[in-house]
Amino acid sequence: GRRRECLSGQHRFTTSERVEEAPLSVVKSDGRQQPFDRRKVAAGIAAATKGRPLPGTTVDELAERVEDSLRAAGGQVSTAQIGLAVLDELRTVDEVAYLRFASVYKHFDAAADFHREIELLTKQTTAEVDS
C-alpha cells in the first residue's frame, strides 16, 4: 500500500494494514452519528444471501471486506455508502442476493441518495458495455 504520514509526522503507516483502531462512524440521514457496526452489515448480507449457495465466501468475510473498503474511504460514511459497498461485494458473489439487497435497501432512510447512486451506477455500467 501507499505510505502515508499523519499530520504530526510521528507515525507512518501503510494504508493496506487493517486500521482497526480508527473509529468508523456512520452519519445517519438526520445528521446523527453512530459507531459503525459490522454485525448489522453481516445481518443484512445474511438476509440477502439466505438459502443461496455462496461460492466459498462467508457472510463474515463479505462484511469484513465491506468494512475495509469503508475504512479506506475515510472515518465517516453515510448509510448510502454502506449499502453501496455491500451491493458492490454482493454483485460479484451472487446476483440473486444482490437484487434482494437492492430491493431491501430502497427502503432505507437514505433512499434518495441511493436512487441517485443507482442511476449513476447504471449509467456507468451501460457506458462500459457500449465501449
Side-chain angles (χ1 to χ4, degrees):
R2 297 178 299 152
R3 287 192 94 51
R4 293 198 294 190
E5 253 179 77
C6 76
L7 295 175
S8 66
Q10 299 303 309
H11 302 283
R12 279 200 167 76
F13 60 94
T14 308
T15 20
S16 58
E17 289 161 17
R18 284 190 67 111
V19 199
E20 289 287 2
E21 311 80 57
L24 184 59
S25 59
V26 179
V27 183
K28 308 291 281 182
S29 53
D30 60 8
R32 283 179 308 137
Q33 291 191 20
Q34 61 182 49
F36 175 81
D37 185 354
R38 193 197 309 165
R39 286 170 310 195
K40 284 186 183 171
V41 171
I45 293 173
T49 55
K50 194 175 181 190
R52 298 294 304 163
L54 285 191
T57 320
T58 66
V59 166
D60 286 339
E61 279 176 304
L62 288 169
E64 202 168 283
R65 291 217 296 258
V66 166
E67 182 176 1
D68 285 345
S69 67
L70 293 169
R71 283 183 186 281
Q76 275 192 351
V77 293
S78 66
T79 44
Q81 277 174 289
I82 297 173
L84 286 164
V86 171
L87 283 173
D88 226 38
E89 292 296 338
L90 286 179
R91 187 169 44 200
T92 57
V93 176
D94 184 76
E95 201 169 315
V96 173
Y98 167 75
L99 293 169
R100 277 187 196 160
F101 190 86
S103 68
V104 169
Y105 192 67
K106 286 191 183 91
H107 308 300
F108 276 22
D109 54 6
D113 295 342
F114 178 70
H115 290 301
R116 240 197 337 272
E117 299 278 4
I118 284 283
E119 278 164 30
L120 290 171
L121 277 177
T122 42
K123 279 188 192 123
Q124 282 169 2
T125 359
T126 42
E128 283 164 24
V129 172
D130 295 341
S131 59

